[in-house]
Amino acid sequence: MEAIPTERLPAHVAIIMDGNGRWAEARGLDRSAGHEAGEQALFDVVEGALEAGLGYLSVYAFSTENWARPQSEVEFLLGFNRKLLRERRDYMVERGVRIRRIGRRYPVPDDVLEEFDAAEAATASNGTLFLQVCFNYGGRAELEDAAKAGSIPDNLYAPDAPDVDLLIRTSGEKRLSNFLLWQSAYAELYFTEKLWPDFKRDALFEALRDYARRRRRFGGL
Ligand code: FPP
């Protein structure tokens, strides 16, 4: 990638990784094959994020609404995420990636939470890139939880993370779907028709170049 000057890089990129199911169905495959292809895309994008020098990358892995999917898919996604966290842990340690789970613990099964906790512990001294995995995450749930605890900004799930500068959603859908509502108040939005499994590091670089050309006003002039 031609380097983007640091001051034109977003401090925090958030991604709604949408379209795994459609990618698989278009190939006559099980939806699970789409999620597996989505894992490859995610780790290519993580490499791209490291190459570009990003500090925060948040990904929507499982929403508070995803429990409404058929039980077989929910079970697949729980096992899939658990296995992914275990298999990628050493890689993340080596690459300086720090994992952070963002979302409510209940009702995520203990064996999944344990894998998140282990990944967080193993990568706790890393500092190159925060990979915030939003899991059983909902923006409204986060705001409700924060409001109950007191001041909202101080009680977000990751209060130290910077606001989202760039929010990417794949697969042609143009919705926020309850993702990082507080943090994305002034985010630049980037939509692409690409389905998530087709979104590789070059697609991230294209989004970063698009972002670098935008002029942000934050309500001012
Ligand atoms: C949306 O596709 C994608 C998901 C439900 C999440 C996929 C999760 C990953 C790729 C990995 C999670 C990462 C970590 C680090 C634990 P969809 O099923 O909504 O697709 P569709 O809209 O075509 O049906």
Side-chain angles (χ1 to χ4, degrees):
M1 181 185 74
E2 67 201 74
I4 294 176
T6 315
E7 70 276 10
R8 304 299 291 168
L9 268 185
H12 186 173
V13 175
I15 310 186
I16 303 177
M17 310 180 287
D18 199 4
N20 292 348
R22 278 164 284 165
W23 182 92
E25 282 154 21
R27 286 163 179 74
L29 301 171
D30 269 13
R31 292 175 57 82
S32 57
H35 297 311
E36 276 153 8
E39 175 185 347
Q40 305 305 320
L42 173 60
F43 284 92
D44 202 67
V45 163
V46 167
E47 277 300 312
L50 290 166
E51 199 180 313
L54 292 183
Y56 284 81
L57 179 66
S58 293
V59 295
Y60 214 174
F62 193 89
S63 78
T64 47
E65 287 70 38
N66 284 152
W67 300 105
R69 291 193 177 196
Q71 198 191 337
S72 59
E73 179 155 353
V74 170
E75 275 168 16
F76 171 81
L77 285 170
L78 293 172
F80 166 72
N81 281 285
R82 184 163 51 92
K83 179 166 168 280
L84 178 162
L85 287 163
R86 188 181 317 137
E87 288 177 355
R88 302 279 182 165
R89 192 163 69 212
D90 291 347
Y91 159 82
M92 292 186 285
V93 171
E94 279 164 29
R95 299 297 283 138
V97 177
R98 182 164 176 184
I99 283 283
R100 182 185 253 175
R101 182 189 53 79
I102 307 272
R104 282 187 179 162
R105 291 179 79 90
Y106 181 82
V108 180
D110 284 343
D111 60 350
V112 179
L113 291 172
E114 281 159 17
E115 220 51 71
F116 270 109
D117 295 346
E120 287 186 348
T123 62
S125 57
N126 281 352
T128 309
L129 170 70
F130 267 97
L131 177 59
Q132 305 200 123
V133 181
C134 301
F135 197 90
N136 190 31
Y137 175 84
R140 288 183 172 181
E142 178 177 34
L143 294 178
E144 281 173 8
D145 292 348
K148 274 182 212 147
S151 125
I152 291 176
D154 294 336
N155 291 285
L156 295 168
Y157 296 145
D160 56 312
D163 277 353
V164 173
D165 291 314
L166 175 63
L167 175 64
I168 298 173
R169 183 171 192 149
T170 58
S171 90
E173 307 290 343
K174 299 186 178 71
R175 288 188 292 277
L176 293 180
S177 298
N178 202 16
F179 193 41
L180 299 173
L181 297 178
W182 181 276
Q183 299 85 341
S184 299
Y186 282 98
E188 293 291 325
L189 307 180
Y190 182 90
F191 299 108
T192 168
E193 295 294 321
K194 270 188 203 295
L195 302 174
W196 176 251
D198 295 324
F199 192 97
K200 301 288 165 57
R201 74 184 83 180
D202 284 347
L204 172 71
F205 297 155
E206 197 178 318
L208 293 177
R209 283 193 293 268
D210 187 287
Y211 172 86
R213 288 192 295 268
R214 297 190 191 188
R215 206 167 86 76
R216 303 179 75 199
R217 294 205 298 260
F218 301 97
L221 287 178

